[in-house]
Amino acid sequence: MTNILIILFGLTMLHVFSTTRIEAYIKTLTLQGFLLFLMILLEIKKLLLINFIYLGIETLIFKTIIIPIFLFNVVRKNEIKREVEPYISHLYSLIIASLIFVFGFVISLWLLKIENEIKHLYFGISISMIISGLFLIITRKKIITHILCYMMIENGIFLLSLSIAKEMPLLVNLGILLDIFVGIYLFLLFFNKIQTAYDQDHIDVLTGLKD
Amino acid sequence: MTIETLLIIPIILSIIMIIFRFKIINRICIIINAILFIVAPVLYYFNKEFIKPFNWLLKYFSIDALSFLFFSVMAVVNFGISFYTIFYFKSKDYSNKHDTLFSVLYLLFLICMTGVILSSHLAITWIFIEATTLTGTLLIYLEKEKSSLEAAWKYIFISSIGVSFAYVGIILLSMGNKSGDSLFFVNLYKNAANFTPLWLKLSFAFILVGFGTKVGLAPVHAWLPDAHSEASSPISALFSGTLLNAALIGILKFYKIMINAQMESYAKILLLSMGFLSLLVSAVFVLKVKNYKRMLAYSSIENMGIIVIGIGLGSTGFFASLYHLTAHSLSKSSMFLTTGNIYHHYHSKKINEVKGLLSTDKISGWIWIFSFIAISGFPPFPAFMSKFMLIETFFKKGLSSLAVPFFLFLIIILFGMGKTVFLMSAGSGNAVKNKNLNIFAYIPQVFYLALLLIIGTVLPDFIKKIIQSAADFF
């Protein structure tokens, strides 16, 4: 069951590669948050109660509800509809995405040979998600897409951290959550500032500083 | 006194500032904080019981020889900058609200760096490094210009992605950590030999890239010149003198795990290659920059490269590196603070619009030249000794082939910076005389330079002991 969820999780990433609508990105992000929540529900027996509550709050409240609402507000307020023509067309992006996924699995199977204790599905999908998030940041032009891809990288890392059975102390976890949340908040704050200062939300406007 | 006091008192001071929202109160609070930060390590030096870890927070913070050196350097740099802010705010004439915001963020930023330096847990180090990104971004943006907006965005975005890579590194480390389950550095050092080598190697690479982004090592240095050039000069000085060090301590503490696991040969290759790449990048760019603050930023990349190379070399390289780190922090802060004076006179950051600094403002001009001499490693300043020791270490380790490019890069950077500094200082002044620089625009730099002279010529025993025991940490 968990495996199906993880594969679904990977598929959401492919969906991002094939679409240009910003709202679809945010919906994908919401879906990813919810999938992570379901994975945690399935693991409930292995978790301490306090950690379960923390992880549940992080995935369900933050990743699935609060952050997407934040993002929707910003996108609607600024009337952003679509990603502009990316640097690499969608067909090629999809091909590259599949290659990234193949690469992720090759890496995790190779690691499995050396180290037979890793959960290769978790590992493969999360590595692919992190790399494809970086790839999307490089090829897409809108700043809001960059923020969304950063969130996807964070989701990938979250999946990776689920694959290890060890838990960090609650205090540490709370600190990490606070950092990420404040980070997203500041991203959106600066996004709004850039939007008002430049009247555009391309990264092309941010080329004033160079040598 | 417990370590937490060092974190809590700045918070109390911030709250006082928020309540009063009055400029003079802000200045007083920042000075009080600076004095606290100076006094604490001094008292700790004489009485090791003075700062003790407290059971509260499960000993997430502790102080050892390495963090003591870093904390002392931060305290000294911060001491100068705190006094410089008296001049800076007077010249800027911010509103009370803006002034308070700046001061509160300044203290929060300091708290975050203190947290990084004193943390005894890998994940806590990560949390505070990410927190320096968040508070630092707001500090860069306080000038509220378009260019500072761009710099702030690049800083927060690049650093956040870099730091999330470091988090992947932490996860990979936990995967390889079979026996122990905690991420306290003490336990990690103890268990280092039991780690799975593969995961440890991968983990070090991720940590190096992640925290290296904050240190400003090439090729992940992209944010550094922008942020340093667009922030106000006290903040640039704080960034260069303390933030880069604070991120570096994360790498150093992790490097100790690699040593204990006897995998330092692998780690050395990574450190040396990133160090040399940093030297290359700054040698290329320092020749073509048109903005003097960006030039200093590239020089910071260079010096961080030198420090990392020294760590990579090992043995006497450790002492040389930490000695160089002290020298760099003080002299670079002095240079960045002086750029504040220059900007005050000329209202431009472009090199070719600044001429005749010596005739416009004699003291700033001489400080500018002497700080340059200090940073580029002429005797009797300490950077000379540290670079000399590093080259010696190259030969001792049988890596003399690497000493050649190292020396070449240093010469190129010296030429690039020297040309700019003297072009700016010499000639007849083209600025309108602007006489209202008060004494606090000069005192901090003179304080740094005097300290550098003392370290470079006499090298008092207690300073040598502090650096030596920090070098023995490895």
Side-chain angles (χ1 to χ4, degrees), chain B residues 60-305:
Chain B
Y60 279 128
F61 299 98
S62 72
I63 190 161
D64 53 31
L66 187 69
S67 44
F68 178 59
L69 172 71
F70 277 71
F71 188 79
S72 314
V73 170
M74 183 180 90
V76 172
V77 170
N78 172 48
F79 191 69
I81 296 172
S82 299
F83 280 96
Y84 188 82
T85 51
I86 297 176
F87 155 71
Y88 187 77
F89 282 102
K90 209 173 172 194
S91 71
K92 281 289 172 186
D93 206 25
Y94 289 137
S95 68
N96 273 331
K97 194 181 155 202
H98 195 79
D99 193 301
T100 310
L101 184 65
F102 188 103
S103 313
V104 170
L105 282 171
Y106 182 92
L107 286 194
L108 285 181
F109 189 63
L110 273 181
I111 296 170
C112 296
M113 283 189 300
T114 314
V116 176
I117 291 171
L118 299 180
S119 80
S120 58
H121 188 277
L122 185 54
I124 297 282
T125 311
W126 185 90
I127 290 172
F128 278 106
I129 286 186
E130 175 67 13
T132 57
T133 310
L134 304 175
T135 45
T137 313
L138 292 170
L139 280 172
I140 295 172
Y141 181 59
L142 276 175
E143 295 290 311
K144 300 207 167 161
E145 284 159 16
K146 260 189 175 183
S147 52
S148 54
L149 182 60
E150 182 183 337
W153 173 257
K154 284 182 183 167
Y155 176 55
I156 192 172
F157 200 71
I158 296 174
S159 301
S160 294
I161 291 199
V163 174
S164 53
F165 267 79
Y167 191 68
V168 175
I170 296 176
I171 295 172
L172 293 174
L173 183 74
S174 323
M175 282 185 175
N177 191 352
K178 293 270 156 52
S179 43
D181 55 353
S182 88
L183 288 172
F184 283 99
F185 283 114
V186 186
N187 296 353
L188 290 175
Y189 297 153
K190 222 184 291 164
N191 294 330
N194 305 329
F195 282 110
T196 321
L198 176 74
W199 293 125
L200 195 52
K201 280 182 183 174
L202 273 176
S203 168
F204 181 74
F206 274 95
I207 294 270
L208 184 63
V209 170
F211 290 165
T213 314
K214 296 281 299 185
V215 182
L217 297 173
V220 280
H221 64 282
W223 64 272
L224 197 145
D226 295 350
H228 281 64
S229 66
E230 292 313 313
S232 51
S233 23
I235 300 307
S236 311
L238 196 65
F239 269 38
S240 208
T242 60
L243 171 69
L244 306 186
N245 297 350
L248 187 70
I249 202 175
I251 296 178
L252 296 187
K253 283 180 175 172
F254 201 94
Y255 182 59
K256 167 101 166 153
I257 304 174
M258 299 299 282
I259 293 178
N260 285 7
Q262 292 181 339
M263 264 182 283
E264 71 256 52
S265 56
Y266 161 81
K268 271 175 186 169
I269 295 170
L270 291 182
L271 286 173
L272 284 177
S273 39
M274 276 184 107
F276 273 101
L277 205 56
S278 307
L279 286 185
L280 175 70
V281 164
S282 52
V284 170
F285 280 96
V286 90
L287 290 177
K288 59 180 273 198
V289 281
K290 296 188 171 58
N291 174 327
Y292 54 85
K293 284 187 94 174
R294 288 181 82 88
M295 177 190 78
L296 297 184
Y298 282 112
S299 159
S300 289
I301 296 177
E302 175 219 354
N303 283 291
M304 283 298 140

Side-chain angles (χ1 to χ4, degrees), chain B residues 347-367:
Chain B
H347 302 286
S348 167
K349 287 175 189 164
K350 291 208 177 91
I351 291 167
N352 54 14
E353 284 173 13
V354 178
K355 292 240 156 51
L357 181 60
L358 278 171
S359 58
T360 311
D361 181 349
K362 208 166 194 176
I363 311 175
S364 291
W366 282 114
I367 291 175

